[in-house]
Amino acid sequence: MRQPEYLRTVQSFVRSELIGQEALLDSLAPAPLPLYDRFAETGLANWWLPKEVGGLGLSLAESVRIVAELAYGDAGVAFTLFIPVLTSSMVNWYAEPELAERYLGRMSAENGYCATLGSEHEAGSELVRISTTVRADGDALILNGMKAFSTDTDFAQFLVVIAKSDGPAGFQAVLVPRDAPGVAIDHRWDVNGLRASATYQVSLTDVRVPAANALRGNGLRLLEVGLNASRILIAATALGIARRIRDTCMDYAKDKMVKGAPLATNAVFAAKLGQFEMQIEVMANQCLAAAREYDAIASQPDAAAEFLKLGTLRSALSTKMFCGQTGWQIASTASEMFGGLGYTSDAVIGKLLRDMRYVSIIEGGDDVLRDLMFTRYVVPVSKRG
Amino acid sequence: MRQPEYLRTVQSFVRSELIGQEALLDSLAPAPLPLYDRFAETGLANWWLPKEVGGLGLSLAESVRIVAELAYGDAGVAFTLFIPVLTSSMVNWYAEPELAERYLGRMSAENGYCATLGSEHEAGSELVRISTTVRADGDALILNGMKAFSTDTDFAQFLVVIAKSDGPAGFQAVLVPRDAPGVAIDHRWDVNGLRASATYQVSLTDVRVPAANALRGNGLRLLEVGLNASRILIAATALGIARRIRDTCMDYAKDKMVKGAPLATNAVFAAKLGQFEMQIEVMANQCLAAAREYDAIASQPDAAAEFLKLGTLRSALSTKMFCGQTGWQIASTASEMFGGLGYTSDAVIGKLLRDMRYVSIIEGGDDVLRDLMFTRYVVPVSKRG
Amino acid sequence: MRQPEYLRTVQSFVRSELIGQEALLDSLAPAPLPLYDRFAETGLANWWLPKEVGGLGLSLAESVRIVAELAYGDAGVAFTLFIPVLTSSMVNWYAEPELAERYLGRMSAENGYCATLGSEHEAGSELVRISTTVRADGDALILNGMKAFSTDTDFAQFLVVIAKSDGPAGFQAVLVPRDAPGVAIDHRWDVNGLRASATYQVSLTDVRVPAANALRGNGLRLLEVGLNASRILIAATALGIARRIRDTCMDYAKDKMVKGAPLATNAVFAAKLGQFEMQIEVMANQCLAAAREYDAIASQPDAAAEFLKLGTLRSALSTKMFCGQTGWQIASTASEMFGGLGYTSDAVIGKLLRDMRYVSIIEGGDDVLRDLMFTRYVVPVSKRG
Amino acid sequence: MRQPEYLRTVQSFVRSELIGQEALLDSLAPAPLPLYDRFAETGLANWWLPKEVGGLGLSLAESVRIVAELAYGDAGVAFTLFIPVLTSSMVNWYAEPELAERYLGRMSAENGYCATLGSEHEAGSELVRISTTVRADGDALILNGMKAFSTDTDFAQFLVVIAKSDGPAGFQAVLVPRDAPGVAIDHRWDVNGLRASATYQVSLTDVRVPAANALRGNGLRLLEVGLNASRILIAATALGIARRIRDTCMDYAKDKMVKGAPLATNAVFAAKLGQFEMQIEVMANQCLAAAREYDAIASQPDAAAEFLKLGTLRSALSTKMFCGQTGWQIASTASEMFGGLGYTSDAVIGKLLRDMRYVSIIEGGDDVLRDLMFTRYVVPVSKRG
């Protein structure tokens, strides 16, 4: 089956810019790396942005394929490139049309970034406990607070901040230009993996934006909607890493001799790789099934309202949980396959293991997601799968 | 989303004939049980048979849904009802048209059964080592041998026997009427689970059939093709059992008090059920993805040839392996949830655990399938998923 | 290393009475089976009873070896024979000396049984919620209630009943002769495994015993003490079943041909058996370490008081949890090794799998034990291991 | 129970030199770190060396306790300090007495190090394929080859090299002074964890030593003997890391609020920690049981011959496999517990996870050990556990 053009472009980018560059990609080099410009040169930057704002309008199912390919090369690069979808999808559906067009249009035209400021140190995964505030001041909104983990923020064009409001909505999601006075990067985190990406702690001190910058609807619910896409794409990075691990194992096993024969002919090795292949297929099918369900909603005329009604989709929860767990099994098993060399920086498996770890941590650990799954989809009998 | 009519019919059958009948269904009662006639009365017997022979022509994706519903009630009943698809699909694609029409037409008209005689004691999963023979004798074929495990055989209308041939094909698949002289049921197996089904050891002694009863193509390859459908549907029974387990847990947890509150409000219980729900969704998506891939091939004009070229589909291997493994995790976890009562025949979980076990055993254990997966789909780089 | 005499006696009993009798042992035949008399004839019945009452005074470490050997033959037989230790150890330490001597002396002399009546349907593992009552009536105690699961009860000489008291202790443990009026067997449970043992639901209706039959101390705490020994021995049955599974696999693999060679030379099979052997060694060491810790306490002059102070021992919790989990892994893996035959009653693996299941269920499921472990041994920093 | 003096010394060292120094310890700083001198100042350096050569003569059981305490602080430090036992035990048992006294005496007096040069790139775990050679040249031995992974080598006083011999023994183990001409450090490995230790690739070019420097017996068998002690102590580092992880989780959970209460009161968290505590106890008991078995052999008058007869001990295989697997489960589970912060260098869990990984890789991966276990201890019926 012939690959679509955009996928071949991504594969070519991966081969020329990522494969073999693991040391650089793992070095926490200053962000953004020059290679991000070269991705923009392919014309695929922000591939999911709607055609209405000048984007390519690729679907989430297509995004799954793109992200899995990118993550085959480097999950940190993939994450840097797709995580703006979390922010842009909230803006696309819930910002005033003029505001959405202005910011998404510029983002599309200039291959820019945007970022969401949600999680806080105290609140952790319980966003209901966030302490960042937004208050009305005449025709403006004033934001104050500190946000713990936000990716791409430093070089983003605009941000969406989730804040506690004194208004009736309780929480608001507010679009803030990156260069608004009072927005300060506290520091970039030294992360265990995904080190080609850049995640920041950010402070907001009397940040003032027009009242029209507030998105419509409860901020926490909007965040739930935005996380549907990003969780599915985080899962897709697990798929890409898993494929890279499989191929790395096979490359190693071709030449490595065990008991007088290549490791690739060893029955125990074959059993592990056969299991990996099964798991990879199931991961791929789950990512695509979830993405198609999302795309089906997104293509409805009232998509914004429908997503608001549904909030966190079961498929998004399932996909991130499943791919995080399965990816970790694959990475754990593979990390024992390369002997002593596999425990050194000469082998790529150590990096792949660290990269894989983020899938089960970011945007809700499994404990949080299992609890959410139970409450939303097991307790209500009619919603069970 | 409204269920299609056929699914509501199945659900109604499950509620009225299966739920609550666990003691009977688990008793290894004489086969076939009267309830199979009542299933035929719904008009859904052999639902997958092509319209050309008078069948309903439901797809494999639709079959997945039907089988999962049936297995929610009882996996042995589900298995009894769908396993003829293994035989009928070989006949449909590889028998002479007249032969196929005659046998499948009667099967459709009379709600009959058919069975495949493949596995033997010595050969186990290595069918290349089977010792049942077929030889030409004028315009007839003579079959001799012993087949270890064959389901529905005693009450089937016709059989397909996989036998070693002295001809160039090496192995042949031969249609044999059930009542052909020389076909003898040695005994019915006392199985650990799935006890509403009936599996037999069968002897063939100088069984004579017309030469035209031989299906076209290598018998082992034909069997590979037939197993694609049945393996996916075996996986679908794991899905049905898993859903039944989940609901059984939830029913129990509503009333069971732990630390002064219903178990259903216990966080550890919720975490397990949240995990089950995730796993159930992934099982369902994998079954459907595999079935759709099968249906896409089956709808091609040259489906028979295409299937012969592809042989064992990766998706069929993945689906059976994944659902067997995941189903067993769910059943294992759940079997600890019901306290001492869960270890008695008063609880259904013991039966569900035994029923689930077959998924990873029948039609190729995971060791065999992992090896096949590795050889067919990992070693050839271009076929990797 | 030469085995001690008592172990060789047990091994001989296992070979002559249990191996090969699986169908009978699995049949839920009337209890007690005649073979229990033959065990008594070896002179080893109730081997742990103190020499002071005429017993052999074997230690818990020695009991671990005996029970593992018995369970190699049949776990239900092992359970029937050792479970009286739960009752007798409470009586030994906490009954008035005269009472203890009378009942334990007769038990020793007549190779009798005794049983504990603890768990109730509503209360489950939370014994603080039991509703069986004991109240003083002059110089007598009157007991009323219903006990859900009690093993050996019907043919026991005496029982210890855990009951809610109106006195200051809150709960009492009361010795009740089996033939006391008002003790009624409601029914014997049809259990999933361990079917050579007999577990009953028992009713107590105005059962009257002398006040001196109350054991000293809080009944729930006494039960904790008694469970230390039985939990360690339940774990030892998992060890015995695991060894039986290993040997069953090896016997099968000697003759079974796969790819032209005996399964025993297959690398994937070898990897599984190598893992089993490791797990079996760790199970054995853990059982022995826990038993030795118990024996060290039991050999102190103030053992009764010391046990009362310690209550549930960490080692007893760990041993049952670990052996239950590990035994289940072994049984699960092995249950896929025997092909289709392994799913029939012609193979013993189905029985071994069902037998193994009880270890993680009886005397506290893992959820209960993990919670207890956390509260008792993780929260208090000084008690962490 | 009061700790022995040496353990309190180690604990004090850990608190003052290791806890809180994670950034330094994880930095691959020049080896050896100054803190190793401070450990020597405690008087405990090379604690296992026999009293005959001026050592403390602590047993392997005592070593398990010391190593677990050290690894609680840092596994790389623990490994650096105990890994000389592999070399020194071969020298102690199999070198000419004069040679052993000279080298072990100096090592003891000067708190020195020694190292074994065994593994090679091509050979991997199959030492029978090593290509380093030793040949006689008059009264000298000449060694040539390249050794892939050897720890402590650069600052060791002497080495033991495993080499292919043209003599009848096939392989020899030869003591080589570190400063012998021709011994060259190729490079230090950049390892994924254990970064306070230093592992080197080493070349031997026409290295000449007296013939008397050859140890008695087949070199591969001597290595098997030496690995018994080091494998058990590697397992003990997993125990130490696991305890550190548990305590790190508990510290975090005291303050972290979830749903309005400290995480430490959360039932799902409690279940995980209860499971950890069980696993930690079993790891400790297994390490101690294996060490005691080793100590029992070591205390026999003919210990050297007995070890040579036994070769690789089952208990050493079991202990490393079990603790590596269990430690990895604990580290994997814990690495998801700290939210986003747990994925940054501000949390210690990332380092603990990387440190834990080595246990299942170094001195034989589990695939190798399972195979060895099967061949040596499952196939011979009389040796099964």
Side-chain angles (χ1 to χ4, degrees), chain A residues 14-15 17-23 25 68-77 236-252 273 276-277 280 283 330-331 334 338 346-349 351-353 355-356, chain B residues 384-385:
Chain A
V14 166
R15 276 193 306 272
E17 300 291 335
L18 305 184
I19 304 287
Q21 303 300 315
E22 290 77 19
L25 295 164
E69 289 293 343
L70 285 170
Y72 185 94
D74 184 86
V77 168
T237 62
L239 171 61
I241 303 171
R243 285 173 173 155
R244 177 72 175 275
I245 290 173
R246 174 199 57 197
D247 292 354
T248 302
C249 291
M250 288 300 289
D251 285 347
Y252 175 76
L273 271 286
F276 287 2
E277 187 69 16
I280 285 169
M283 289 166 83
I330 291 173
F338 299 88
D346 285 35
V348 74
I349 186 65
K351 172 183 180 293
L352 296 174
L353 182 73
D355 284 352
M356 187 67 93
Chain B
R384 291 182 196 162

Side-chain angles (χ1 to χ4, degrees), chain A residues 120-126 129 149 187 189-194 255-260 268-269 272 328 331-333 335-347 349-351 353-358 360-362 365-367 370-371, chain D residues 120-126 129 149 187 189-194 255-260 268-269 272 328 331-333 335-347 349-351 353-358 360-362 365-367 370-371:
Chain A
E120 302 183 4
H121 284 295
E122 275 303 301
S125 316
E126 290 179 275
R129 290 172 52 217
F149 301 104
H187 61 79
W189 292 98
D190 182 352
V191 281
N192 295 345
L194 234 58
D255 300 320
K256 175 72 185 172
M257 298 296 286
V258 172
K259 293 190 174 181
V268 173
F269 175 82
K272 291 179 184 169
W328 187 246
S332 291
T333 300
S335 67
E336 299 184 41
M337 280 192 192
F338 299 88
L341 201 69
Y343 200 59
T344 73
S345 61
D346 285 35
I349 186 65
K351 172 183 180 293
L353 182 73
R354 285 183 284 108
D355 284 352
M356 187 67 93
R357 185 68 298 198
Y358 99 108
S360 298
I361 295 178
I362 303 299
D366 279 12
D367 287 336
R370 274 188 282 255
D371 186 57
Chain D
E120 301 183 6
H121 284 294
E122 275 303 301
S125 315
E126 289 179 276
R129 291 174 51 218
F149 300 103
H187 61 79
W189 292 98
D190 182 351
V191 281
N192 295 346
L194 235 59
D255 300 321
K256 175 71 185 174
M257 299 296 286
V258 172
K259 293 190 175 181
V268 173
F269 176 82
K272 291 179 185 169
W328 186 246
S332 291
T333 301
S335 66
E336 300 184 41
M337 280 192 190
F338 299 88
L341 201 67
Y343 200 60
T344 73
S345 61
D346 285 34
I349 187 65
K351 171 183 181 294
L353 182 73
R354 285 183 283 107
D355 284 352
M356 188 67 93
R357 185 69 299 197
Y358 99 108
S360 297
I361 294 177
I362 303 299
D366 279 13
D367 287 336
R370 273 187 282 256
D371 186 58

Side-chain angles (χ1 to χ4, degrees), chain B residues 12-34:
Chain B
S12 165
F13 171 79
V14 166
R15 275 192 307 272
S16 66
E17 299 292 337
L18 305 184
I19 304 287
Q21 302 302 314
E22 291 77 18
L24 168 67
L25 295 165
D26 202 26
S27 68
L28 210 77
L33 290 161

Side-chain angles (χ1 to χ4, degrees), chain D residues 134-146:
Chain D
V134 54
R135 61 181 170 81
D137 181 32
D139 200 33
L141 297 170
I142 315 285
L143 296 109
N144 276 286
M146 202 250 275

Side-chain angles (χ1 to χ4, degrees), chain B residues 56-91:
Chain B
L56 296 171
L58 294 184
S59 69
L60 196 63
E62 289 164 317
S63 301
V64 161
R65 295 186 198 278
I66 290 172
V67 167
E69 289 294 342
L70 285 170
Y72 185 94
D74 184 85
V77 169
F79 189 63
T80 302
L81 290 170
F82 79 72
I83 193 62
V85 74
L86 160 59
T87 312
S88 72
S89 59
M90 289 191 283
V91 171

